[in-house]
């Protein structure tokens, strides 16, 4: 990560849930002053407690972002129940409220009222194009999507999605800022529901669902295809890179060998599932056997520990992200 340019600049985070907390930590790691907003004081108090614990754990594992100590980074984060106070003086606002169109319309209408003509108004929405809740705002040219992957502190991808009316300078600044704070931004060149990550993720989920529904594999074995197969290499190289490496003479030869078979199989994959009925119950029951409901939090911590370990390996190997 490049040397921090965040010193003295303020970022406002709207929503102190898991995504908001991660973003607060990322910006503090780059030296930004962070104000974390939520309507409930208990929510922000709990968020600060959790952030402090996470900073200490990251510092202990040698994976704390930036050059500042955990104590110093924690001191850069304040909380507020006043939205106007959160927005005042900020150069960047990241909205992290639940995925609900009407709620986002309400929040962005309030942000529009308090925003300066310079601040970037960014949303964490995972599927909804920002044009659907910024069209009538006076600051609509400053609105953009910055969609993270949970948890963003350990998984650096950010999908940057401008609306048709987003000023190019806002898009450029947003891409540069995410790179500066150590995330991995990609530009979604035109609005499409689900952007790139969720469209790819939903395609995988849909085919896994169909394979279980048709009795081809168990839910556990469908998961194993990812954890012991595709996921192993996709942590280091992408889809097209894999194709390029998996033929002696690269991508072109891969297509010569496999394109017809790929097209045939893709054509036979069937309609999109509705994700209900007996298959939904079957997968739910099997997942509860694999990870009992009373062990979900323990498994989440297990997941995060392995994401930390993967990040450490990539860092040691000199990978940028």
């Amino acid at each position: 990560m490049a040397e921090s340019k965040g010193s003295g600049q303020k970022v406002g985070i709207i929503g102190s849930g898991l995504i908001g907390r991660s973003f607060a930590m990322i910006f503090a790691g780059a030296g930004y002053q962070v104000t974390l907003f939520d309507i409930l004081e208990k929510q922000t108090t709990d968020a600060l407690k959790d952030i402090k614990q996470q900073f200490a754990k990251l510092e202990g594992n040698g994976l704390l972002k930036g050059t500042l100590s955990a104590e110093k980074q924690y001191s850069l984060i304040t909380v507020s129940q006043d939205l106007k106070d959160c927005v005042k003086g900020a150069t960047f606002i990241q909205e992290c409220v639940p995925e609900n169109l009407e709620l986002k319309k309400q929040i962005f209408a309030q942000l529009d009222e308090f925003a300066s003509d310079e601040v970037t108004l960014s949303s964490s929405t995972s599927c909804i194009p920002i044009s659907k809740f910024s069209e009538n705002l006076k600051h609509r040219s400053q609105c953009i999507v910055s969609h993270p992957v949970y948890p963003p502190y350990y998984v650096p991808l950010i999908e940057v999605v401008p609306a048709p009316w987003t000023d190019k300078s806002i898009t450029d600044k947003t891409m540069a800022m995410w790179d500066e704070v150590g995330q991995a931004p990609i530009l979604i060149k035109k609005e499409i529901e689900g952007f790139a990550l969720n469209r790819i993720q939903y395609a995988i989920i849909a085919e896994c669902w169909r394979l279980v529904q048709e009795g081809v594999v168990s839910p556990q074995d469908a998961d194993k295809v990812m954890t012991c197969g595709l996921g192993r290499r996709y942590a280091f190289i992408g889809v097209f890179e894999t194709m390029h490496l998996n033929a002696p003479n690269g991508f072109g030869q891969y297509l010569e060998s496999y394109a017809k078979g790929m097209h045939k199989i893709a054509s036979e994959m069937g309609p999109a599932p509705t994700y209900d009925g007996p298959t939904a119950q079957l997968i739910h029951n099997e997942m509860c056997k694999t990870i009992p409901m009373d062990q979900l939090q323990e498994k989440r911590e297990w997941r995060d520990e392995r994401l930390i370990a993967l990040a450490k390996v990539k860092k040691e190997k000199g990978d940028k992200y």
Side-chain angles (χ1 to χ4, degrees), residues 45-278:
T45 300
D46 290 346
L48 284 177
K49 181 180 178 181
D50 179 46
I51 287 169
K52 189 172 187 177
Q53 292 173 343
Q54 289 194 63
F55 273 149
K57 186 175 183 179
L58 287 161
E59 191 169 49
N61 283 308
L63 285 171
L64 191 68
K65 292 179 182 286
T67 59
L68 302 175
S69 68
E71 182 179 1
K72 177 59 178 176
Q73 291 187 31
Y74 180 73
S75 74
L76 293 174
I77 302 173
T78 59
V79 296
S80 177
Q81 281 78 55
D82 183 337
L83 186 62
K84 185 176 182 180
D85 172 67
C86 181
V87 174
K88 184 179 179 181
T91 58
F92 189 87
I93 300 292
Q94 183 70 26
E95 165 268 308
C96 305
V97 303
E99 189 77 348
N100 179 287
L101 178 58
E102 293 307 313
L103 177 59
K104 290 185 185 292
K105 284 182 178 180
Q106 178 185 338
I107 292 294
F108 268 77
Q110 293 177 281
L111 292 175
D112 192 41
E113 180 182 350
F114 302 136
S116 70
D117 292 337
E118 291 78 35
V119 65
T120 299
L121 302 175
S122 179
S123 173
S124 295
T125 176
S126 59
C127 288
I128 308 170
I130 200 163
S131 60
K132 291 194 173 183
F133 51 94
S134 67
E135 182 175 7
N136 299 318
L137 304 182
K138 61 183 178 182
H139 294 102
R140 72 178 195 167
S141 66
Q142 298 160 227
C143 296
I144 199 163
V145 168
S146 297
H147 171 233
V149 185
Y150 182 76
Y153 199 95
Y154 309 123
V155 186
L157 184 76
I158 301 285
E159 294 182 294
V160 176
V161 195
W165 46 75
T166 302
D167 193 280
K168 185 178 183 300
S169 67
I170 293 292
T171 303
D172 292 344
K173 285 194 297 184
T174 302
M175 291 287 291
M177 183 210 62
W178 286 121
D179 186 66
E180 174 213 326
V181 301
Q183 300 303 101
I186 65 167
L187 177 63
I188 306 300
K189 297 180 180 180
K190 61 181 181 180
E191 286 194 317
I192 184 171
E193 289 200 19
F195 316 137
L197 183 139
N198 274 325
R199 293 181 76 89
I200 293 168
Q201 176 174 235
Y202 294 166
I204 293 170
I205 292 172
E207 184 55 20
C208 288
W209 189 282
R210 284 188 290 263
L211 290 172
V212 171
Q213 189 171 46
E214 294 169 11
V216 177
V217 294
S218 68
Q220 290 86 349
D221 281 350
D223 278 350
K224 195 177 291 185
V225 168
M226 298 303 298
T227 60
C228 298
L230 295 176
R232 293 286 179 103
R233 63 190 182 197
Y234 286 165
F236 300 97
I237 56 174
V239 173
F240 297 129
E241 289 175 315
T242 298
M243 294 168 69
H244 194 49
L245 293 176
N246 280 7
N249 294 310
F251 187 82
Q253 186 183 24
Y254 188 96
L255 291 181
E256 290 175 6
S257 300
Y258 299 110
K260 289 183 179 179
M262 290 163 61
H263 180 265
K264 179 178 183 296
I265 291 170
S267 300
E268 296 171 352
M269 284 184 174
T274 54
Y275 304 108
D276 54 15

